Amino acid sequence: MTNEEYRRYAGKHAPRSKVGRNCLGAFLVGGSICCLGQLILNLWGRLGLEQQDAATATSISLVFLGALLTALGVYDDLARLGGAGTLVPITGFANSVAAPALEFKTEGLITGTAARMFVIAGPVIVFGIGSSVVYGLILCLVGGGA
């Protein structure tokens, strides 16, 4: 069998790409989470909070909901359906902290839950803070800083 014949044979038997379905799922689930966030923001505003306070309360509410849905096992189902759509919003951060904490709780409070809680989110936090410091320094050096 030649290389070309093998490529054709492998192409016929390779699984079809699911990129379109994955993109649609990410869009729908991520968009739904963002719409929920907007609804919560509007609710906090109607309850009398100023815009900035309502935004803070919305972030706290979404983190709570993300952790709660992770604890109930629902967030994993959302992630299977929505893929990256569940990672981008703040609920994805809550999931990345709560999931390892729940997974390692059998190892104890200190060596399990506390030690493993930031296994996924820790590097994101470190590189996020580090890159913001570098960006701030560059901004100050080029004269855009305060």
Side-chain angles (χ1 to χ4, degrees):
M1 179 180 280
T2 66
N3 286 342
E4 185 59 35
E5 290 172 335
Y6 177 75
R7 266 191 282 269
R8 275 187 264 138
Y9 175 80
K12 288 180 184 176
H13 294 85
R16 300 261 181 214
S17 174
K18 298 179 182 179
V19 171
R21 192 186 91 202
N22 290 344
C23 288
L24 180 63
F27 175 77
L28 292 175
V29 171
S32 297
I33 292 170
C34 293
C35 286
L36 175 65
Q38 185 64 50
L39 289 171
I40 293 171
L41 178 67
N42 294 347
L43 176 66
W44 284 119
R46 285 192 153 200
L47 292 174
L49 291 180
E50 296 293 325
Q51 182 67 28
Q52 187 172 356
D53 294 334
T56 301
T58 300
S59 295
I60 293 168
S61 300
L62 287 171
V63 167
F64 171 76
L65 287 173
L68 178 66
L69 292 176
T70 298
L72 296 174
V74 175
Y75 208 86
D76 289 339
D77 295 334
L78 280 175
R80 272 189 220 86
L81 176 66
T86 58
L87 296 176
V88 177
I90 196 168
T91 53
F93 174 76
N95 174 261
S96 70
V97 172
L102 291 171
E103 184 177 345
F104 293 103
K105 70 181 179 183
T106 58
E107 294 181 20
L109 183 62
I110 302 298
T111 59
T113 301
R116 307 286 179 120
M117 186 179 298
F118 292 101
V119 167
I120 298 171
V124 174
I125 294 169
V126 168
F127 284 104
I129 291 171
S131 62
S132 66
V133 168
V134 169
Y135 177 73
L137 289 172
I138 291 170
L139 195 59
C140 284
L141 290 174
V142 297

